[in-house]
Amino acid sequence: IDAHDPMLHVLSELGVLLLLFLIGLETDIKRLLSVGGASLAVAAAGVTLPFAAGYGVSIWLNYPTTVAVGPWGSELQLRLSMNCWCLNSLATRK
């Protein structure tokens, strides 16, 4: 399999779109709104705390501030927080 094959890229993008569509179909809006405040707090903490921790570790390792809060640092910290959230969701799923 060639990783640079355009057809493979298109198929992977379609797979992601289909997955997101199916997730949207299973979302219960009433249930989501009933836990809105708590979910907002968890979402804010899930983004803020890993970002702050990543910034702190970057400064502790003597990286410049531009690296600690730059696009690469922000992306890595957000990806880590989303991975933790996804794994937690899968672990608690009935």
Side-chain angles (χ1 to χ4, degrees):
I1 295 176
D2 182 17
H4 300 291
D5 184 17
M7 183 57 96
L8 185 62
H9 179 73
V10 169
L11 288 175
S12 67
E13 292 290 328
L14 287 173
V16 169
L17 285 174
L18 180 63
L19 176 66
L20 291 174
F21 178 73
L22 292 174
I23 290 171
L25 286 178
E26 294 183 12
T27 302
D28 184 10
I29 299 296
K30 290 179 183 177
R31 186 172 177 203
L32 186 64
L33 291 175
S34 70
V35 293
S39 63
L40 181 63
V42 168
V47 171
T48 306
L49 294 177
F51 185 82
Y55 177 77
V57 169
S58 297
I59 297 301
W60 180 60
L61 293 174
N62 294 323
Y63 283 107
T65 305
T66 55
V67 172
V69 296
W72 181 84
S74 302
E75 180 183 357
L76 177 64
Q77 292 146 6
L78 289 175
R79 284 178 186 254
L80 288 174
S81 68
M82 291 309 296
N83 285 338
C84 291
W85 177 81
C86 289
L87 290 174
N88 185 29
S89 296
L90 288 173
T92 58
R93 188 173 178 168
K94 293 181 180 180

